Amino acid sequence: MSDFVPIQSDLNEKPDARGDSGPSVYIRTYGCQMNVSDSQTIESLLADAGYRFADSLDEADVALINTCAVREHAETRALGQLADLSRLKKTKPHAVIGILGCVAQARKREILDAMPFVDLVVGPDAYRKLPALLEERMISPPGSPGLLETVLLREELYDDIVPRHRGGVTAFVTVMRGCDKFCSFCIVPRTRGRERSRPLPSILREVEALVSQGVRDVMLLGQNVDSYRWEGRTFADCLSEVAGIDGLARVRYMTSHPSDISERLLDVMAGNPKICPYLHLPIQAGSDRVLELMNRPYTRAQYLKLVEAARVRLPQIALSTDIIVGFPSETEEDFRQTLDVVREVEYDTAFTFKYSVRPGTKAERLEDDVPEAAKVERLERLIAIQQEISRRRNLAQVGRQTEILIEHEAPKDAGMWTGRTPDYRPAVISKNGERIGDLLPVRLTELVGFTFRAERL
Ligand code: 5AD
Ligand code: SF4
């Protein structure tokens, strides 16, 4: 999915009650929602192999880090975290340290050479081998060379593995893996391999199982969901079938590609109140020249038409995007065109990034010639403009009648619930006998920071 809201999640919040005798694993997850979903698959594989889950690094026998390589900063941070995990070996020389995910895939043997304390390097298509690799590693003497497993498998969908759901009313469900778009800046096609879709029936089975565990809101994940194909069915079919599942209140998805999203998908969204009016539609840049260099095969005019088509069908739609500043050869004029699009579209949220060279990408051959100071300055200008737009769009919601899905207790106030509107705006409301998972008709009364206060209708 274009991922990719950068988030850090610690999947160990709710350890499984499963057994208490096996070795315990601590997993730290960085990167996109796809990584969060993958970590749940990994947890499921390890739980079946008899592992327990530790709340903290110090309690663990095995420490794994699931990493993101999409930008240089994410990769550097992942490698720094790996060094942090290595402190486990000071107290437990037999502890196993492993790196998983996109950095493992991108850097492979380099990691083992540079960081001799690393025991495992396992890429995104090799997680099935984790239990066997861990076992092998645990019986080998400390100091043995680390094990590497990074073959990309076109057929790997982990379709038969039920990711470990950690409770709560929201869940991620992966519908496709990999990406064939080869945007010139992006490492994902190299770290996650070719595009492949899960069979629709098993997606539906997974969502039904989640609903039976209390899930009310699922986010369907794929690097480019619009490429979903299974036996002639498209993502629009997948979305509408998932929305048809009884007991599910909401379905959302991420990420779309402007060249592939279909009008039919927008029609399906408009015709189904369970499908949230939310679209993450990365534009990346506003200049046609830069878009071409990025291998993003649409023009700014085509993109704007698409936004209009979405807003005509779904007037309440919330739009978010990803933008890169400082792509090779980006001039001040190119950048102004990005700002123009941002002002014209008026996104609700924009995820903004400074370009960084990724090894093995096509853009690696272009000179990274926008000075760092110019990248920083452009990013700051972009963020300032977007913040103002986000605030204005949020303020325009005050007074609106809508519905929130109650997700959990407000973190700092046990007397309040936190929920979200269908267009994914967070809101708090005082408790009044409702339960987590209820849909509550409300009016948004006030905006505090980025969170609304709501009153029941
Ligand atoms: N440099 C900066 N940003 C990048 N992204 C992907 N690759 C790079 C890169 N090399 C951004 C894109 C993508 C998001 C997940 O990360 O905007 O949509
Ligand atoms: Fe998204 Fe393009 Fe990367 Fe594919 S190659 S994951 S479409 S940014």
Side-chain angles (χ1 to χ4, degrees), residues 149-171:
E149 198 62 61
T150 53
V151 178
L152 290 174
L153 302 170
R154 172 134 211 167
E155 62 279 11
E156 184 53 276
L157 280 158
Y158 300 113
D159 201 37
D160 52 324
I161 298 165
V162 181
R164 179 172 169 255
H165 178 59
R166 294 175 302 127
V169 290
T170 63

Side-chain angles (χ1 to χ4, degrees), residues 1-4 70 178-189 223-224 255 257 284 296:
M1 88 215 99
S2 162
D3 41 9
F4 297 103
V70 79
C179 183
D180 286 355
K181 295 314 266 187
F182 286 94
C183 300
S184 67
F185 51 80
C186 185
I187 200 169
V188 167
Q223 241 78 34
N224 174 16
T255 291
H257 191 293
Q284 311 296 4
R296 300 280 294 184

Side-chain angles (χ1 to χ4, degrees), residues 74-136:
E75 182 173 311
T76 313
R77 195 172 58 154
L79 294 171
Q81 283 292 318
L82 193 55
D84 178 56
L85 296 189
S86 73
R87 70 187 150 88
L88 189 60
K89 288 202 167 178
K90 293 205 178 95
T91 47
K92 290 183 190 167
H94 291 277
V96 176
I97 309 284
I99 175 164
L100 318 176
C102 289
V103 177
Q105 191 65 36
R107 295 289 176 185
K108 299 189 177 82
R109 189 151 292 284
E110 266 175 74
I111 298 175
L112 292 178
D113 292 343
M115 300 178 149
F117 61 82
V118 175
D119 300 292
L120 295 176
V121 177
V122 182
D125 283 349
Y127 297 146
R128 273 177 209 278
K129 299 217 168 135
L130 255 178
L133 291 167
L134 280 169
E135 201 169 320
E136 181 178 341

Side-chain angles (χ1 to χ4, degrees), residues 2-4 70-71 185-186 284 322 324 353-356 358:
S2 162
D3 41 9
F4 297 103
V70 79
R71 286 171 295 277
F185 51 80
C186 185
Q284 311 296 4
D322 290 344
I324 297 176
F353 311 105
K354 278 185 300 174
Y355 172 72
S356 59
R358 302 287 58 221

